[in-house]
Amino acid sequence: METEAVSRATLAGNYNKTTFDRIAGTPAPIAALGITTPLFDLTQQLRFSDSLPRDKITLDLSYARGPFTFSVTNTRYGRVATVALLNRTPAQVAALVQGYDVRLVPSVGSAANSDIIQRFGAKVLTDIDVSWQATRALRLSVGAQNVFDIYPDENIASRVSSVAVGSNGADNAGTKPYNAVSPSDLTAGPCLFAGV
């Protein structure tokens, strides 16, 4: 008796947009203590609105025949953004931002300086999986994640020219080339796995 083959395609996606109707100032009891730092500053606003991908689309293709299944999953993560550096002078901004996707926002308390918001582009990651249904209760799988070795965009790098004008980049002097808001694995590169 020949085993029937089954092919499946699954497409899923979402789109989210966070906006603020109003942002309250520092509550009076806290301000009375002399605390003037805004509680919901630009960094916190971006954590809510832009630190997660606005869109995510997943396409899974699978082929099963008998106890074996092969699947390929492509996941597209949309663009994210975060505050990279605060209160930078025009000279520091010029030395830091060349070659990066950024948006400048006037710094609070210093009209000449800027806060640098760095945007990280959308990425597509591909995973593969082969599994064997050994029994009704036991399935063995082996696969690889990020098979095409896709890395996230890099943080704004420290450069000789930026250090000369008094600023390191957002990469912690080269020790953190990738930002934590990146939806792909910060270690990047392919990852093999096996499971039961």
Side-chain angles (χ1 to χ4, degrees):
M1 177 170 118
E2 190 163 321
T3 306
E4 183 177 317
V6 177
S7 296
R8 288 193 173 97
T10 305
L11 178 66
N14 69 312
Y15 176 82
N16 305 297
K17 184 174 182 181
T18 303
T19 58
F20 303 104
D21 295 330
R22 141 186 108 75
I23 298 173
T26 303
I30 294 174
L33 297 172
I35 299 172
T36 58
T37 304
L39 297 179
F40 202 66
D41 63 4
L42 180 63
T43 300
Q44 300 308 321
Q45 292 170 36
L46 282 173
R47 282 187 181 146
F48 276 90
S49 64
D50 289 25
S51 69
L52 296 174
R54 185 165 288 178
D55 58 90
K56 179 181 174 185
I57 301 168
T58 302
L59 174 63
D60 180 65
L61 305 171
S62 65
Y63 175 81
R65 185 174 186 119
F68 296 98
T69 302
F70 174 77
S71 69
V72 176
T73 303
N74 288 296
T75 305
R76 180 196 183 274
Y77 296 95
R79 186 173 81 173
V80 294
T82 190
V83 175
L85 298 160
L86 296 170
N87 200 24
R88 296 300 186 241
T89 67
Q92 291 170 333
V93 169
L96 288 163
V97 302
Q98 187 176 20
Y100 296 97
D101 184 7
V102 299
R103 180 168 60 99
L104 301 178
V105 176
S107 293
V108 174
S110 176
N113 291 355
S114 298
D115 296 340
I116 303 172
I117 298 172
Q118 185 175 4
R119 296 178 284 220
F120 302 90
K123 300 291 180 191
V124 176
L125 302 181
T126 302
D127 305 330
I128 59 171
D129 178 82
V130 177
S131 62
W132 173 54
Q133 192 73 45
T135 69
R136 289 180 69 122
L138 178 65
R139 172 184 229 156
L140 302 174
S141 297
V142 65
Q145 297 174 328
N146 193 10
V147 295
F148 296 116
D149 199 16
I150 303 299
Y151 282 75
D153 294 343
E154 292 189 2
N155 279 324
I156 295 172
S158 300
R159 299 177 176 162
V160 172
S161 60
S162 69
V163 173
V165 292
S167 180
N168 277 322
D171 65 348
N172 197 26
T175 62
K176 297 191 183 268
Y178 306 110
N179 199 288
V181 301
S182 172
S184 59
D185 185 6
L186 295 179
T187 59
C191 173
L192 300 175
F193 68 87
V196 177

